Amino acid sequence: MTTSTRRDPYEGFPGRIGRTFADSEPAWPAPRIPGPKAPNVDNIDQNLGRLTQTLDALGELDNTVIVFTSDNGGTGEGGAEGTRSYFSRFVHHPALPGDWTPDVDRDPELIGGPRSLVHYPRGWGMVSNTPFRLYKGHTYAGGVRVPFVLSWPKGTREGRLAPGLRTQYQYVTDIAPTLLRLAGLERPAARRGVTLQEPDGVSFAPVLADAEHASTHPEQYCEMTGNRSYYRDGHKLVTLHRPGTPYDDSEWALYDIRTDPTEIHDLAAERPALVKELAAAWEVAARGNGVFPLPDLSGALARRNPAEQRLARQLTLLPGTPELERYRSSRLVALRSFEITVAIDEAGEGVLVSHGDQGGGYSLYVEDGRLRLAYNEYGVLHETDAGSLAAGEHTVVLAATAEQGLRWSFTLTVDGKVRASPPSVHQLIGMAPFQGISVGIDRKSPVSWPLFERHRSFRFQGRLRSVTYRPGPPGPDSPEAVASALEKAAAAFE
């Protein structure tokens, strides 16, 4: 942890386990510094300054613990050349068709604005993580080692926090226990008569008070999409797992991060006994924390907890319902066929239902008396005119059929009569649609930018009774369908 008067030699790099500002010279609110600065960094600086100014005005800054950290290292998800369609690039599925594109045609002038969902090339992710190796999603330091700053004026004066740099190993799960300890609170052992799960972390309050105190977190397992690591007392066992390859003990590399924090010198061949010992410890910890099964070779069998099947039940939404939560919304349509029934008591202008945003989504709306379907295919907009919608009561049904090659074929009917069957499109999977379902309006980032320019959120002006989602069977490329086929093959073989 670095004081506000002593410059950290790694300043600007994601990596030191703990940093705190000296509280004799408060680092915030900071004055504006002229010169170029990344917009997001500047935004954080200014708003943190506003927050601390407000706390100071309320007389609470002195007694407030401020923590600044990150969730992971910089990412390589943009690929070698970057992308203007992040959600399309983000999709990792073994059945991606040959015509799948990880980018869309976007005017470079739109980058940074609301119409472009860009991601930088992975080289910038590497720069962000320098001097550490690799990216978010990896268990090398570039993926998991991040900045950490803690400031607490009152704690410094009371001797409970000694300003300075800390090099002891601590883990993100230690933050909550530490804050509870600093606040003088005990974590309850039970809630409403139910025994609580043991916490994963441990307080590092002793390390904050004494720069010479030993780490309170001597061991830690880690796993992300098949990449694994295990830390114990300065040694770190780690893998770089290549998707589609078997899990093999030969993947393990061993580093002494006390002398080699950038994980360059592999000691696995020199210390096979320690490799075996730490690998066994990783497996024990992984089994105790529900890590298994690890992703299979194809990635097609990454299945969710069976309890999530309830999220794919039929659901009716009424006008005025707040936007349905993103993940809950995705379970109604992801990798499956589905049907949306819109019950209209009186036709009018506006959006009937919308799901998604500029990164991918769909919406049904009425404009100039005509029913239309907008489908945003990861940034490529498809518009379908389904004909006029006369005054009065109607039932509009949008049916999506999941087809081989991760495609959907849509059929749009009004009062039982087919109005439109547009060409098939790529399904929205992975992180798309990123926004949830809205009824009678297109909230926040719109599915159709041209429609937004004409009408903004375009609230429905008629009388809408309800919107009902009926999830259908999983598509041929879904994990459920693949698993079912393997089960049938196994039964036939037996």
Side-chain angles (χ1 to χ4, degrees):
M1 300 165 192
T2 176
T3 71
S4 58
T5 56
R6 175 185 173 187
R7 182 175 177 81
D8 175 9
Y10 280 86
E11 185 174 320
F13 296 121
R16 289 293 181 175
I17 293 301
R19 300 175 182 159
T20 183
F21 284 112
D23 304 298
S24 56
E25 294 186 31
W28 296 299
R32 281 187 177 270
I33 300 174
K37 184 186 288 188
N40 190 53
V41 174
D42 182 69
N43 181 280
I44 292 172
D45 283 350
Q46 303 308 324
N47 283 290
L48 185 53
R50 292 173 59 210
L51 173 62
T52 54
Q53 283 176 333
T54 302
L55 288 169
D56 193 30
L58 294 171
E60 295 292 344
L61 179 60
D62 186 62
N63 193 37
T64 300
V65 179
I66 296 176
V67 172
F68 180 88
T69 188
S70 173
D71 59 341
N72 46 250
T75 176
E77 291 164 337
E81 70 281 0
T83 181
R84 293 162 292 180
S85 180
Y86 174 51
F87 292 157
S88 177
R89 169 76 74 178
F90 189 79
V91 168
H92 301 285
H93 193 287
L96 280 184
D99 62 347
W100 191 280
T101 173
D103 194 14
V104 296
D105 186 14
R106 277 285 185 276
D107 186 335
E109 292 298 319
L110 297 177
I111 292 177
R115 297 178 60 184
S116 180
L117 212 67
V118 301
H119 205 294
Y120 54 64
R122 66 183 178 218
W124 284 110
M126 184 65 76
V127 169
S128 175
N129 296 335
T130 300
F132 303 111
R133 295 177 63 178
L134 300 174
Y135 319 95
K136 166 187 173 183
H138 296 99
T139 48
Y140 273 80
V144 298
R145 197 167 181 178
V146 298
F148 183 88
V149 178
L150 188 146
S151 171
W152 184 29
K154 181 180 177 181
T156 299
R157 289 198 308 275
E158 294 178 349
R160 299 172 64 188
L161 187 153
L165 181 69
R166 300 293 189 274
T167 58
Q168 294 91 327
Y169 182 95
Q170 301 292 159
Y171 202 67
V172 64
T173 51
D174 300 337
I175 295 177
T178 301
L179 294 179
L180 287 174
R181 175 72 66 85
L182 296 180
L185 299 174
E186 291 291 332
R187 180 182 181 274
R191 183 174 183 269
R192 296 179 179 175
V194 178
T195 301
L196 297 179
Q197 181 177 319
E198 280 292 311
D200 290 322
V202 60
S203 169
F204 55 87
V207 175
L208 295 176
D210 179 6
E212 301 302 319
H213 197 285
S215 166
T216 62
H217 200 121
E219 296 191 43
Q220 179 61 45
Y221 87 97
C222 191
E223 185 274 335
M224 177 69 179
T225 59
N227 293 310
R228 290 109 58 211
S229 73
Y230 197 84
Y231 170 87
R232 177 186 286 170
D233 291 330
H235 285 95
K236 181 178 174 184
L237 193 67
V238 63
T239 70
L240 176 59
H241 181 71
R242 301 293 182 182
T245 63
Y247 291 99
D248 191 323
D249 283 347
S250 65
E251 289 184 305
W252 290 117
L254 178 68
Y255 303 97
D256 184 341
I257 63 173
R258 296 166 297 187
T259 58
D260 181 23
T262 53
E263 300 166 339
I264 300 298
H265 306 292
D266 183 5
L267 306 176
E270 300 173 26
R271 306 196 61 182
L274 183 57
V275 170
K276 185 176 181 180
E277 178 184 336
L278 295 182
W282 181 89
E283 182 157 336
V284 171
R287 292 195 181 281
N289 286 274
V291 174
F292 293 105
L294 291 168
D296 77 306
L297 300 187
S298 71
L301 294 180
R303 303 178 72 185
R304 296 282 181 177
N305 189 307
E308 286 199 10
Q309 293 178 4
R310 62 188 177 84
L311 302 181
R313 295 182 299 200
Q314 177 176 316
L315 179 68
T316 296
L317 301 170
L318 303 178
T321 301
E323 178 183 304
L324 189 64
E325 188 273 327
R326 177 182 71 86
Y327 185 73
R328 176 72 175 89
S329 298
S330 72
R331 295 303 90 194
L332 299 170
V333 303
L335 293 167
R336 67 187 329 124
S337 300
F338 63 92
E339 186 178 278
I340 307 171
T341 300
V342 182
I344 302 171
D345 287 335
E346 183 57 54
E349 301 278 300
V351 172
L352 299 170
V353 61
S354 68
H355 184 189
D357 48 44
Q358 284 291 284
Y362 56 89
S363 70
L364 279 172
Y365 65 94
V366 181
E367 185 183 30
D368 298 329
R370 302 186 72 81
L371 176 65
R372 300 176 187 272
L373 166 66
Y375 188 83
N376 189 319
E377 190 180 29
Y378 300 99
V380 177
L381 184 63
H382 306 273
E383 293 270 8
T384 300
D385 187 334
S388 62
L389 194 68
E393 185 177 337
H394 297 284
T395 299
V396 175
V397 177
L398 177 65
T401 301
E403 300 176 340
Q404 196 81 39
L406 292 168
R407 302 189 74 85
W408 274 325
S409 286
F410 287 106
T411 301
L412 190 55
T413 65
V414 177
D415 301 328
K417 297 182 179 179
V418 175
R419 289 287 194 91
S421 297
S424 68
V425 289
H426 291 131
Q427 295 178 29
L428 300 173
I429 60 176
M431 292 184 69
F434 196 69
Q435 284 181 204
I437 297 166
S438 290
V439 171
I441 194 171
D442 191 349
R443 294 184 172 95
K444 297 183 285 193
S445 176
V447 171
S448 168
W449 190 263
L451 185 66
F452 173 77
E453 288 186 317
R454 294 194 298 270
H455 302 288
R456 294 307 193 234
S457 56
F458 207 17
R459 186 178 293 276
F460 187 62
Q461 299 301 309
R463 293 203 312 275
L464 189 60
R465 188 187 316 157
S466 64
V467 172
T468 299
Y469 274 76
R470 294 182 176 86
D477 300 309
S478 69
E480 294 85 356
V482 174
S484 176
L486 291 176
E487 289 168 0
K488 290 178 181 178
F493 179 80
E494 291 170 357

